[in-house]
Amino acid sequence: MARRQGFMAAVARMQREAESAAAARRRAEAAAQREAARAEAAYRRAQAADEKERKRLYVESRVAEVAAMNERLAQRLDELDSILVSGLRLNTRFDLERLKEKPDLKPFDPGPAGRPEPPPRPEAFIPPPPTGLSKLFGGARYEEQARQGQANYHRACTEHAQREQARQAALGRLQQEHAQRTRESEERARRQHADVDAFKRELAGGRPDAVVAYFDLVLNTVSYPDGFPSKWRLAYVPESAQLVVEYDLPTIDVVPTVKTYRYVKTSDSVTETKRAAAQVKAQYTSVVSQVALRVVRDLLKADAAGHVAAIVFNGMVDTIDAATGRPVRPCLLTLRTTKEAFSELDLAQVDPAACLKHLGAGVSRNTAELAPVRPVLEFSMVDPRFVEETDVLGDLDDRPNLLDMTPTEFEGLIQNLFTRMGLETRQTRPSRDGGVDCVAYDPRPIMGGKVVIQAKRYRNTVGVSAVRDLYGTLQNEGASKGILVTTSGYGQASFDFAKNKPIELLDGANLLYLLKEHAGVEARIQAPDGWRDPAPDTADAPAPPALLRAGENVKISSQALVCDFAMAAAENDPCALLLGHDRKVRSDADFVFYNQPASADGAVSLDTATNQVRVDLARLPTDVFTVLLVTSGTPGAVRLTVTERNGAAHALAADATTETVLVCAEFYRRQGGWRLRAVGQGYADGLAGLARDHGVVID
């Protein structure tokens, strides 16, 4: 019984221990699970933190990327706005010495042939003398070894001498080859330097192809923003010292259409805010204007030799017409200016568009839409065939030579040309120098009208008097335009006189081009033996009066002036008023008319018999700032000629319709001198209106 109880107690104890162990295992498993859960939670928290950090860093990178895009955009806009100003810091004069290449003189490197091989040493072949017992018992053996070593040494010396001889021969050949390469390189450099020096001489002599090549080098050294074309054509007309540039302008695509970029975090995208279309178009117009002014500035700045007196710039755009899909090349800007006029500009301060308007440039009314303007001078009209032909093959040329024609033939050619160009021509009389005078009519409405055409067969440059004569003919004929055509060219004075006047000057190159383009005539210009031009203009030859239009003014260089009036009716009277700074008379004595024919100081006087007013500017008091020249009487046409003591004359014309008093012109002080301005305005209420405005008391 006791044994059974002990057994049961042992079983119970074992059960308790097993249960205790199972509970411990369960507790351990629960602890392990809790630890695993804690580790899992920690891992997930760390993973979420890493993901959050990655997202933060990604957003920062995207924000930085957009900031960089906005910075590049701002830099681009600033770059486009500063095309002109940034270029003013550059000196575009090209030093032709930079073209000279240096000879390729590499140092002589003989390589292995330049390193002599050391001669054999006897000790390397002959054993050292024996010592001790070897000397007593090995003498015979040593002598044999010494004889063999000596033979080997002599053989090695012979082979070394042969190798040294071969090395020295190779070294000599290498030295000769290097000397030959050096001479050839120096000779190439010498010839290239001679070519550059010849080019410099041709440029100094004003050779047209050298002038064009020089300015091409200048334009190649100038850089513009990315996306701008680098393409142009140049031509030089030596007769008028005129450089013609056809320059490719960028398209409107170079102007950014984006105002700003913004990163949207929620959609992970970059959005754009567009600029106003008007703003883009305005900046494109500014870009075009800046490029034109900068190209002209760069070329004139580079003209150290003074070959260029005037520049014609045609700004072209090479693009595709969106309406037709075909390539087009409209001219968006055309300009002709002189070096003198351009030098007066402060380009660092100008508004490009206003500056071009001041220079009389033709600018597209809508550059963004590629609305073209007519070039001042078509580049293709600067024909390279117009050269002085001197070779013996010239006589074999089957093209008609314009200077070989009779006046009648030349007259017919010119008439045919302008008829083919759409004008209705009417011949008048030939001029004394073998040219042709022709009156034509342009049938186009609004733009058309009467056209006076004069042609002069000259070999030398046409003088400015021919242009003045044409202008006088234009005025007398009441024509809307005058065209002067010559087989030679024009000087700067001719272009200056024609500026802002309805006159077109066509030189020999233009004439050749027009004949080919419109009449199908391939012609040439070569003066035959014995050809003589009409006598050139002289400085003493009086020029016909230049007509001043209303508002135009001219500087007066003489103190004594004679003013001749031609009026509509014999009973009309000239008169004059002396005005102070406030444009009022100082007293009634400043009114010069038929009852008071002279001012108190005698500076202004009236001759009623000849209808002349004489003015002595030197005698006018310092408080007289203006002298008015006036007519009174029946309305009608008035012609006034002002002649200076040096012979210079100025013509003025005014037409009164209802005005019975007409202010024809005025002399006025300007910067220490005097100028003459055409006025052409009047008063319908007669002298009362004149007196009211200028403080004259009429009893």
Side-chain angles (χ1 to χ4, degrees):
M1 187 70 175
R3 182 183 301 170
R4 184 177 180 182
Q5 289 177 346
F7 174 76
M8 293 298 291
V11 170
R13 187 176 63 253
M14 291 175 63
Q15 288 178 342
R16 286 194 299 272
E17 289 177 353
E19 289 176 357
S20 177
R25 284 194 303 272
R26 287 193 297 270
R27 287 194 299 273
E29 289 175 357
Q33 289 176 354
R34 288 194 299 273
E35 185 63 28
R38 283 196 297 271
E40 176 71 16
Y43 169 75
R44 294 188 180 280
R45 286 195 300 273
Q47 188 179 43
D50 288 346
E51 182 66 21
K52 184 177 180 180
E53 181 65 12
R54 283 196 298 271
K55 288 182 178 179
R56 185 185 68 80
L57 293 175
Y58 175 76
V59 170
E60 286 184 358
S61 69
R62 294 286 279 165
V63 170
E65 178 186 349
V66 172
M69 293 169 64
N70 283 322
E71 178 63 23
R72 288 193 297 270
L73 179 62
Q75 290 177 355
R76 178 65 171 184
L77 294 175
D78 181 67
E79 186 180 36
L80 295 179
D81 286 337
S82 60
I83 291 172
L84 176 59
V85 174
S86 63
L88 300 180
R89 298 188 293 268
L90 303 176
N91 182 5
T92 57
R93 291 187 178 181
F94 190 88
D95 183 6
L96 295 178
E97 289 293 317
R98 291 165 49 191
L99 296 175
K100 292 185 176 180
E101 301 172 357
K102 294 182 179 180
D104 186 15
L105 302 179
K106 294 180 180 179
F108 177 60
D109 182 11
R115 296 187 292 273
E117 180 184 344
R121 292 180 293 108
E123 59 268 22
F125 296 89
I126 302 173
T131 59
L133 293 177
S134 298
K135 185 176 181 181
L136 293 175
F137 300 103
R141 183 180 177 185
Y142 167 74
E143 289 177 0
E144 177 62 26
Q145 290 177 343
R147 283 194 300 270
Q148 185 63 39
Q150 190 72 29
N152 291 340
Y153 171 69
H154 287 303
R155 185 166 55 253
C157 287
T158 301
E159 292 173 353
H160 173 269
Q162 292 173 348
R163 289 195 300 273
E164 179 62 17
Q165 184 179 6
R167 183 192 70 82
Q168 291 182 357
L171 180 61
R173 287 194 302 273
L174 291 175
Q175 288 174 332
Q176 290 177 357
E177 292 171 359
H178 179 265
Q180 178 65 22
R181 288 194 299 270
T182 299
R183 286 192 297 271
E184 291 174 353
S185 179
E186 290 176 339
E187 177 60 21
R188 284 194 300 270
R190 186 195 64 77
R191 290 196 300 266
Q192 195 266 345
H193 291 186
D195 291 341
V196 173
D197 290 336
F199 175 54
K200 292 171 65 176
R201 290 191 297 271
E202 292 172 355
L203 178 63
R207 183 168 168 176
D209 55 348
V211 173
V212 167
Y214 170 75
F215 286 112
D216 186 70
L217 288 171
V218 170
L219 292 181
N220 270 298
T221 62
V222 179
S223 62
Y224 283 87
D226 292 340
F228 280 51
S230 182
K231 183 179 176 183
W232 55 80
R233 291 196 295 172
L234 296 166
Y236 180 65
V237 184
E239 291 77 16
S240 54
Q242 181 169 264
L243 185 67
V244 183
V245 188
E246 185 178 273
Y247 199 90
D248 276 30
L249 299 170
T251 63
I252 197 172
D253 297 335
V254 299
V255 179
T257 59
V258 177
K259 183 178 182 181
T260 186
Y261 295 99
R262 187 172 68 90
Y263 174 62
V264 181
K265 182 179 178 182
T266 55
S267 61
D268 188 25
S269 62
V270 178
T271 61
E272 302 174 350
T273 301
K274 294 292 185 181
R275 301 173 70 194
Q279 190 178 12
V280 174
K281 293 178 180 179
Q283 187 167 32
Y284 178 59
T285 301
S286 173
V287 166
V288 169
S289 303
Q290 290 183 78
V291 170
L293 290 173
R294 181 169 167 185
V295 170
V296 173
R297 176 263 175 194
D298 290 345
L299 292 173
L300 291 178
K301 183 73 173 178
D303 184 31
H307 293 306
V308 178
I311 283 187
V312 172
F313 176 92
N314 292 332
M316 318 296 291
V317 173
D318 224 341
T319 186
I320 301 295
D321 188 341
T324 64
R326 300 184 64 83
V328 291
R329 190 172 169 77
C331 178
L332 298 189
L333 190 152
T334 185
L335 165 69
R336 184 186 183 280
T337 186
T338 64
K339 178 182 287 187
E340 181 181 5
F342 205 81
S343 65
E344 296 175 354
L345 304 175
D346 184 357
L347 294 177
Q349 305 295 329
V350 302
D351 173 77
C355 182
L356 288 172
K357 184 177 181 181
H358 168 73
L359 293 173
V363 183
S364 170
R365 68 180 184 278
N366 192 336
T367 53
E369 300 298 329
L370 304 179
V373 295
R374 183 189 177 196
V376 173
L377 175 62
E378 294 279 0
F379 187 88
S380 55
M381 292 179 69
V382 189
D383 199 307
R385 294 173 300 162
F386 181 58
V387 296
E388 190 70 23
E389 300 182 34
T390 57
D391 61 298
V392 296
L393 297 178
D395 293 335
L396 303 179
D397 197 336
D398 58 358
R399 294 176 296 164
N401 181 7
L402 301 185
L403 296 184
D404 273 341
M405 290 183 170
T406 66
T408 302
E409 291 171 337
F410 188 60
E411 175 183 320
L413 183 67
I414 296 299
Q415 279 191 274
N416 178 265
L417 169 62
F418 283 98
T419 300
R420 296 287 184 89
M421 293 175 65
L423 300 181
E424 300 173 0
T425 59
R426 299 289 186 272
Q427 176 189 350
T428 57
R429 56 179 177 81
S431 60
R432 61 178 174 84
D433 59 358
V436 59
D437 294 339
C438 179
V439 175
Y441 297 89
D442 187 342
R444 294 177 301 169
I446 302 176
M447 301 298 294
K450 190 175 182 180
V451 181
V452 175
I453 303 168
Q454 291 184 351
K456 296 188 178 297
R457 293 191 302 154
Y458 276 31
R459 178 180 184 178
N460 299 312
T461 302
V462 175
V464 67
S465 65
V467 188
R468 292 196 186 105
D469 290 343
L470 174 63
Y471 192 50
T473 303
L474 185 151
Q475 296 293 328
N476 292 333
E477 293 284 342
S480 59
K481 184 176 183 179
I483 301 175
L484 183 60
V485 188
T486 183
T487 52
S488 60
Y490 303 95
Q492 184 58 42
S494 296
F495 286 107
D496 290 341
F497 182 84
K499 185 178 181 181
N500 299 325
K501 296 182 178 68
I503 295 177
E504 188 161 355
L505 304 179
L506 302 177
D507 61 20
N510 304 161
L511 178 56
L512 291 176
Y513 171 81
L514 293 175
L515 285 170
K516 179 182 177 182
E517 190 75 9
H518 298 281
V521 176
E522 287 272 6
R524 61 191 172 101
I525 300 172
Q526 180 183 4
D529 294 338
W531 176 272
R532 298 177 65 88
D533 279 353
D537 297 338
T538 64
D540 297 331
L547 182 66
L548 293 179
R549 296 181 179 275
E552 293 182 341
N553 64 84
V554 65
K555 183 178 180 180
I556 297 299
S557 56
S558 299
Q559 297 294 316
L561 306 161
V562 177
C563 308
D564 291 289
F565 289 84
M567 295 169 287
E571 63 272 13
N572 288 9
D573 295 307
C575 51
L577 278 78
L578 284 64
L579 307 179
H581 191 271
D582 57 356
R583 294 190 67 82
K584 304 288 186 182
V585 296
R586 298 167 301 169
S587 69
D588 291 349
D590 287 339
F591 184 24
V592 178
F593 64 111
Y594 58 89
N595 279 338
Q596 188 170 270
S599 60
D601 47 37
V604 179
S605 61
L606 168 65
D607 185 344
T608 56
T610 59
N611 286 331
Q612 282 186 350
V613 172
R614 295 181 178 270
V615 180
D616 188 346
L617 299 175
R619 297 176 62 184
L620 284 171
T622 57
D623 58 349
V624 172
F625 287 86
T626 306
V627 177
L628 295 187
L629 300 176
V630 184
T631 64
S632 66
T634 305
V638 178
R639 298 294 180 265
L640 171 62
T641 302
V642 177
T643 305
E644 302 184 45
R645 175 174 289 173
N646 60 11
H650 313 281
L652 304 96
D655 294 313
T657 53
T658 60
E659 301 87 350
T660 56
V661 167
L662 192 64
V663 180
C664 302
E666 64 180 19
F667 299 107
Y668 63 97
R669 293 184 188 271
R670 178 68 181 275
Q671 296 179 346
W674 286 87
R675 299 187 73 87
L676 169 66
R677 177 189 288 122
V679 179
Q681 297 178 355
Y683 300 87
D685 56 349
L687 290 175
L690 179 71
R692 180 181 61 250
D693 282 356
H694 299 293
V696 179
V697 177
I698 300 179
D699 296 330

